[in-house]
Amino acid sequence: MTATVERVGFFTDTSVCIGCKACEVACKEWNAIPEDGMELTGMSYDNTQGLGASTWRHVAFIEQSKPVVPKAHQGRHQGEHQHQGDGSRNPQSEGAEDDADVFALAAQGSGSSELRWLMSSDVCKHCTHAACLDVCPTGSLFRTEFGTVVVQEDICNGCGYCVPACPYGVIDQRPDDGRAFKCTLCYDRLGEGQTPACAKACPTESIQYGPLDELRERAAARVEELHRAGVPDARLYGHDPDDGVGGDGAFFLLLDEPEVYGLPPDPVVTTRDLPAMWKQAGAAALTLLGGLAAAFVTSGKPKTTRSPFARRRL
């Protein structure tokens, strides 16, 4: 992967996502994406169910049964964070601490259970090692100067090779013309120095945009903050440059296992074994050619036969 400018990406902090779907709406409006159905699916408040050719941002609503937080504990615990040691309030960290406190208290609950929402805005991961790039025969998929992966719809021939190549199941084809579409991380806005539409519209800053290295540092600090507040399940997903896809350009802070959010636990670039496969195929082809050549040479030698009229020696 090569980039002429600093690589940028998304950090999605699901602990502050409120499921408002502002990111979905902003994405569709800016990129002129057609609607993909407004039917009730029976999947809670999720009417899109997943990413697709016409859904580049998808807000998941995950229902969980968790212990109820006793009101007495809520009031006492939240009151501890109303003031700092000097008596002043810290508005920047107060909301995050209160949110983390609620999760911590829920884990300690009173024995009865209540619904808990896990909300997360999913998007294309813009992988460091992108299999969709490897298999595209037309060059429709390309790596931008920002390190993101974009589909050029006017070059796509609808072969569909990229669809099964994606380890996250992100990229998809539109049924009317067969071409592939996915998030571009608002490539046209990046060129003008603007923030992607989804991050711009997010009211809680759950979706954060910026230089990838800076986002990773910010995310690590956020996880430590949640751990100190008593949220041991907080973890990062897709941030590690040494994982199976070389790290994602769009990574997440999760409050449960990746599978709960519909994410693969250990994604691996699907074209990882292609070089070894081509090497083995080449060796097999050379062996076959060698065998054919040997057979040809052997069959080409003249055979010596004894003439029936030759005089026998006594």
Side-chain angles (χ1 to χ4, degrees), residues 213-295:
D213 291 337
E214 178 183 323
L215 290 177
R216 285 170 175 165
E217 293 179 2
R218 190 184 308 169
R222 173 62 174 158
V223 170
E224 291 180 2
E225 178 185 1
L226 289 173
H227 286 174
R228 288 194 300 269
V231 190
D233 290 337
R235 73 203 65 190
L236 295 180
Y237 177 85
H239 68 296
D240 186 2
D242 296 324
D243 65 13
V245 295
D248 294 326
F251 64 99
F252 303 80
L253 186 153
L254 305 179
L255 296 175
D256 210 325
E257 297 290 342
E259 298 92 325
V260 172
Y261 296 84
L263 297 169
D266 297 302
V268 175
V269 58
T270 53
T271 54
R272 175 190 60 181
D273 299 324
L274 275 182
M277 293 170 61
W278 282 115
K279 185 177 180 180
Q280 293 174 3
L286 289 175
T287 302
L288 179 60
L289 289 175
L292 290 174

Side-chain angles (χ1 to χ4, degrees), residues 107-128:
Q108 301 170 3
S110 60
S112 58
S113 61
E114 189 175 80
L115 186 69
R116 179 178 87 153
W117 292 101
L118 293 180
M119 300 172 185
S120 174
S121 180
D122 198 10
V123 72
C124 171
K125 313 306 182 291
H126 296 275
C127 309
T128 300

Side-chain angles (χ1 to χ4, degrees), residues 53 156-163 172-181:
C156 177
N157 66 357
C159 69
Y161 293 164
C162 55
V163 176
D172 195 13
Q173 296 170 273
R174 286 185 185 160
D176 54 344
D177 64 7
R179 291 179 299 169
F181 294 85

Side-chain angles (χ1 to χ4, degrees), residues 185-196:
L185 216 144
C186 288
Y187 183 41
D188 52 345
R189 293 178 65 90
L190 300 190
E192 298 298 325
Q194 298 179 341
T195 300

Side-chain angles (χ1 to χ4, degrees), residues 12-306:
T12 301
D13 183 353
T14 67
S15 69
V16 294
C17 177
I18 59 174
C20 66
K21 289 182 175 282
C23 55
E24 285 191 17
V25 175
C27 178
K28 280 187 174 292
E29 286 186 344
W30 179 261
N31 295 289
I33 304 173
E35 64 90 17
D36 47 3
M38 296 299 294
E39 300 85 4
L40 294 176
T41 63
M43 302 290 290
S44 186
Y45 293 102
D46 186 353
N47 66 314
T48 49
Q49 299 188 60
L51 296 172
S54 298
T55 303
W56 298 359
R57 269 280 178 187
H58 165 243
V59 178
F61 289 75
I62 302 160
E63 301 179 14
Q64 288 186 328
S65 180
K66 289 292 182 179
V68 175
V69 182
K71 291 184 178 181
H73 285 258
Q74 287 184 15
R76 184 179 72 244
H77 205 74
Q78 291 177 357
E80 294 174 358
H81 293 281
Q82 292 297 318
H83 302 281
Q84 298 181 4
D86 57 0
S88 62
R89 299 181 66 180
N90 184 355
Q92 294 182 348
S93 61
E94 180 179 339
E97 288 179 349
D98 287 346
D99 290 340
D101 293 343
V102 171
F103 286 118
L105 285 166
Q108 301 170 3
S110 60
S112 58
S113 61
E114 189 175 80
L115 186 69
R116 179 178 87 153
W117 292 101
L118 293 180
M119 300 172 185
S120 174
S121 180
D122 198 10
V123 72
C124 171
K125 313 306 182 291
H126 296 275
C127 309
T128 300
H129 303 307
C132 57
L133 286 176
D134 296 336
V135 301
C136 181
T138 65
S140 171
L141 281 146
F142 75 102
R143 179 83 61 180
T144 73
E145 66 271 27
F146 301 102
T148 59
V149 180
V150 173
V151 182
Q152 301 173 94
E153 58 189 66
D154 55 335
I155 300 178
C156 177
N157 66 357
C159 69
Y161 293 164
C162 55
V163 176
C166 176
Y168 297 101
V170 167
I171 196 166
D172 195 13
Q173 296 170 273
R174 286 185 185 160
D176 54 344
D177 64 7
R179 291 179 299 169
F181 294 85
K182 72 172 192 67
C183 163
T184 66
L185 216 144
C186 288
Y187 183 41
D188 52 345
R189 293 178 65 90
L190 300 190
E192 298 298 325
Q194 298 179 341
T195 300
C198 56
K200 187 74 173 179
C202 182
T204 64
E205 296 186 356
S206 171
I207 302 172
Q208 302 177 33
Y209 162 78
L212 198 55
D213 291 337
E214 178 183 323
L215 290 177
R216 285 170 175 165
E217 293 179 2
R218 190 184 308 169
R222 173 62 174 158
V223 170
E224 291 180 2
E225 178 185 1
L226 289 173
H227 286 174
R228 288 194 300 269
V231 190
D233 290 337
R235 73 203 65 190
L236 295 180
Y237 177 85
H239 68 296
D240 186 2
D242 296 324
D243 65 13
V245 295
D248 294 326
F251 64 99
F252 303 80
L253 186 153
L254 305 179
L255 296 175
D256 210 325
E257 297 290 342
E259 298 92 325
V260 172
Y261 296 84
L263 297 169
D266 297 302
V268 175
V269 58
T270 53
T271 54
R272 175 190 60 181
D273 299 324
L274 275 182
M277 293 170 61
W278 282 115
K279 185 177 180 180
Q280 293 174 3
L286 289 175
T287 302
L288 179 60
L289 289 175
L292 290 174
F296 178 78
V297 170
T298 302
S299 63
K301 289 183 178 180
K303 294 182 179 180
T304 56
T305 58
R306 185 181 181 88

